[in-house]
Amino acid sequence: MSERISSLAGKPAPQSLLVNTPRLVTSYFALAPDPAITAQRVLFGTSGHRGSAFASSFNEAHVLAITQAVCAYRRHAGIDGPLFLGIDTHALSEPAFATAIEVLAANGVETMLDAAGGYTPTPVISHAILRYNRARTHGLADGIVLSPSHNPPDQGGFKYNPPNGGPADIDVTDFIGRTANQILAAKLDGVVRIPYERARKRATCHAHDYITPYVDDLMNVVDMDAIRSADVRIGIDPLGGAAVQYWQPVIERYKIAATVVNDAVDPTFRFMAVDWDGKIRMDCSSRFAMTPLIALQDKFDIGFANDTDADRHGIVCPSGGLMNPNAYLATAVSYLCTNRPQWRSDSAIGKTVVSSGMIDRVAAKLGRKLVEVPVGFKWFSKGLIDGSLAFGGEESAGASFLRRDGSVWTTDKDGLIMGLLAAEMTARTGRDPNRLYASATQDLGESFYNRIDAPATREQRTLLADLDPVRVDAKDLAGEPIEAKLTRAPGNNAAIGGLKVVTRNGWFAARPSGTEAVYKIYAESFRSEEHLRQIQHDAQALVARVFSKTET
């Protein structure tokens, strides 16, 4: 099964695709969700609650209920420090910001708001939380980011980061989601709010400079001197997202030869190239969405982009265009572990179960322990804080790593430092990351990796999420004996919410979608493209047998 590529993919977004922003914002206030309909309830996935106002899945009622639930969680957990609040550039983020402030102020929560009324990347919120909480044992801070990440312009999102600075763990999201849905079912009974104008005047609302502390601290995680000294020519595309107000201060502070190729902010994202499926999506790992920056690859020594809340990265190299996200993660691991002498030698490399096995091979070559965890960056937070993990990465182009001295930087994905790291690599080696990948992996084989979707009913997806591996009777996969059938991650024994099947030269993982009637098949071969296709074919057949056995 392959993607059906839209005829619009990679082309400028036509007027017909642009969201009607006034109508979208009106829907945010005018439409009310029906809690009896599953799709209109609060659902916290790996990156918080997301939805569209048009579909009654992200409306004022949702934000009122979730924000009140966060206030309830803070009281439950004894969190009484400031809350760092950030938003991205999606149209629904602004009204959601006003709604959240009305509830936070009414609940007496000390709330830190961008002093310039601007946008704040997810990693900057994580950085601010950790910076405030350093050496504190009480009065700890937490944070909220209003963003649906790279998703289309009609979407809104709500993410909560507890005092560890990373994405909230399952017990936290379960508490917040359950409480929020109870509030929705009670027709918002229990929500405490005051009008926005009064809320902004409350003594609990504080203007906070997010930009300066983050920008000034960058030299402690990336070698900015090397980038400046080598005069690396850098092209940066914020894709109209929250990082747009950060790059010029970085350029001026460190005097680097960087150019922001597009500084436009427009909630329709009309400047984007259309993604593979005919939708506007700020996905910096998509060769279609990244068409404008790829077209400039010969003008710069390195180019990079971030998604809308800047927790993801896309790396464009003169030698090969847009890098495969897995390839860049493997390259980053190889480079960092040989160019960070202050890092602990026993600190491990973290990756999710659906990330490339090339990362395993690079880590083994370096003598580093590999920790494989379920999908979700929250699994890396503890290890990054205590230094037992030097690096954590996800196949979806999200990663973070330790400061140069081996201490924690962020516990959420940071697309800004991953972009700057590509510039550091280029500066210090004279080769772009694509060429570095080739040299770092020349003795480790060649990876053939892809993700596809296959149809699945809600019942089938539920079965897959809770699958017992004994139900899988297959002995081989694509002509090789199966070595492992995993429903728990090897690194922490946590449930992966699906199945991973491993052979000597390949693997696949099947996980249900939380929003669509499909399941996702991640697969990799270290033999050939043909072998990869056979793995994908056998994977679908294997999962289909599991479904049919259960249904009969």
Side-chain angles (χ1 to χ4, degrees):
M1 179 180 175
S2 60
E3 297 174 343
R4 294 180 180 177
I5 306 299
S6 167
S7 61
L8 294 174
K11 298 177 182 177
Q15 184 72 26
S16 60
L17 277 186
L18 303 186
V19 67
N20 184 324
T21 304
R23 186 172 297 168
L24 179 68
V25 174
T26 298
S27 297
Y28 172 84
F29 290 106
L31 300 184
D34 181 351
I37 300 174
T38 301
Q40 296 182 20
R41 291 166 61 85
V42 172
L43 176 63
F44 264 81
T46 55
S47 296
H49 174 77
R50 296 175 182 172
S52 171
F54 290 144
S56 294
S57 52
F58 191 89
N59 305 84
E60 183 184 40
H62 293 100
V63 180
L64 288 169
I66 299 171
T67 309
Q68 188 64 54
V70 167
C71 294
Y73 175 74
R74 295 180 102 242
R75 289 191 290 270
H76 168 77
I79 301 169
D80 56 1
L83 182 143
F84 292 91
L85 179 61
I87 67 171
D88 77 354
T89 54
H90 276 79
L92 290 177
S93 296
E94 288 280 2
F97 175 76
T99 303
I101 288 175
E102 292 181 352
V103 176
L104 293 170
N107 281 270
V109 177
E110 302 283 340
T111 307
M112 314 301 282
L113 312 175
D114 182 74
Y119 312 104
T120 310
T122 288
V124 175
I125 293 293
S126 179
H127 180 271
I129 293 169
L130 293 172
R131 182 170 177 264
Y132 183 87
N133 289 342
R134 192 175 298 136
R136 293 179 187 268
T137 56
H138 60 277
L140 298 179
D142 56 359
I144 290 172
V145 183
L146 298 168
S147 166
S149 187
H150 62 290
N151 285 353
D154 70 320
Q155 301 282 304
F158 191 116
K159 298 195 286 189
Y160 174 68
N161 287 40
N164 70 3
D169 210 340
I170 297 171
D171 59 334
V172 180
T173 55
D174 281 352
F175 181 103
I176 295 172
R178 183 175 63 253
T179 304
N181 281 318
Q182 290 170 352
I183 292 171
L184 285 181
K187 300 186 184 302
L188 300 180
D189 184 37
V191 172
V192 183
R193 68 190 294 197
I194 59 176
Y196 179 70
E197 187 176 5
R198 281 174 50 200
R200 287 302 301 259
K201 293 177 180 177
R202 281 280 176 100
T204 52
C205 282
H206 306 279
H208 179 73
D209 179 3
Y210 281 104
I211 295 177
T212 303
Y214 180 86
V215 171
D216 285 352
D217 210 8
L218 281 171
M219 64 180 182
N220 294 310
V221 68
V222 177
D223 191 345
M224 301 300 292
D225 287 339
I227 297 172
R228 180 180 63 253
S229 298
D231 202 31
V232 177
R233 296 171 302 148
I234 307 168
I236 305 171
D237 191 344
L239 299 184
V244 70
Q245 295 171 326
Y246 282 72
W247 287 118
Q248 203 56 43
V250 170
I251 293 167
E252 294 172 2
R253 166 72 173 78
Y254 295 104
K255 297 179 173 58
I256 57 177
T259 302
V260 177
V261 300
N262 185 1
D263 61 1
V265 173
D266 183 329
T268 66
F269 293 90
R270 65 180 66 241
F271 45 78
M272 287 296 301
V274 178
D275 205 1
W276 68 272
D277 57 354
K279 295 182 180 180
I280 296 175
R281 189 181 287 109
M282 288 59 71
D283 184 356
C284 48
S285 64
S286 165
R287 63 186 173 92
F288 300 106
M290 288 281 281
T291 297
L293 187 59
I294 295 171
L296 301 175
Q297 68 185 60
D298 295 331
K299 295 184 179 296
F300 301 102
D301 299 316
I302 193 71
F304 56 81
N306 299 120
D307 69 334
T308 328
D309 69 325
D311 64 350
R312 300 188 186 200
H313 58 271
I315 308 300
V316 176
C317 301
S319 68
L322 180 66
M323 278 194 80
N324 177 287
N326 278 303
Y328 184 59
L329 294 182
T331 307
V333 168
S334 176
Y335 174 83
L336 286 165
C337 289
T338 51
N339 287 275
R340 292 296 187 269
Q342 290 182 271
W343 281 9
R344 284 167 35 187
S345 60
D346 64 342
S347 58
I349 302 304
K351 67 159 229 183
T352 55
V353 292
V354 298
S355 299
S356 172
M358 186 62 81
I359 300 170
D360 307 47
R361 297 185 178 198
V362 168
K365 181 179 178 180
L366 295 165
R368 293 270 178 177
K369 177 184 176 182
L370 185 95
V371 176
E372 188 172 356
V373 301
V375 172
F377 207 81
K378 60 179 176 283
W379 302 108
F380 301 128
S381 297
K382 184 177 183 296
L384 290 168
I385 287 175
D386 64 22
S388 60
L389 282 182
F391 179 96
E394 296 184 314
E395 55 79 32
S396 55
S400 190
F401 52 91
L402 298 178
R403 294 169 181 266
R404 295 162 72 185
D405 67 2
S407 61
V408 64
W409 168 253
T410 60
T411 46
D412 213 329
K413 297 170 289 196
D414 191 334
L416 291 89
I417 65 167
M418 291 300 291
L420 290 170
L421 178 66
E424 180 191 324
M425 291 182 193
T426 305
R428 295 186 65 177
T429 69
R431 292 177 290 172
D432 68 33
N434 184 57
R435 295 193 184 282
L436 287 176
Y437 175 76
S439 61
T441 62
Q442 62 182 347
D443 57 343
L444 300 179
E446 185 176 0
S447 164
F448 301 87
Y449 179 104
N450 196 14
R451 196 206 95 185
I452 59 175
D453 296 341
T457 65
R458 179 176 296 171
E459 292 74 21
Q460 289 171 336
R461 284 178 283 148
T462 300
L463 169 67
L464 184 56
D466 301 319
L467 184 64
D468 185 334
V470 300
R471 291 180 177 269
V472 181
D473 57 8
K475 303 298 183 184
D476 57 71
L477 176 72
E480 293 189 323
I482 291 174
E483 297 180 351
K485 303 171 187 175
L486 307 172
T487 56
R488 291 188 170 273
N492 60 359
N493 199 39
I496 64 177
L499 171 71
K500 183 172 183 177
V501 175
V502 183
T503 68
R504 181 176 181 180
N505 291 297
W507 60 269
F508 82 84
R511 297 182 66 251
S513 169
T515 57
E516 299 177 89
V518 299
Y519 69 93
K520 304 172 184 179
I521 301 174
Y522 305 81
E524 184 174 31
S525 167
F526 279 91
R527 288 174 55 183
S528 66
E529 192 72 45
E530 182 181 355
H531 185 236
L532 171 64
R533 288 194 294 271
Q534 188 62 48
I535 291 174
Q536 293 170 327
H537 175 272
D538 288 4
Q540 290 183 73
L542 184 155
V543 173
R545 286 200 304 274
V546 171
F547 288 162
S548 64
K549 282 182 183 179
T550 305
E551 290 163 358
T552 56

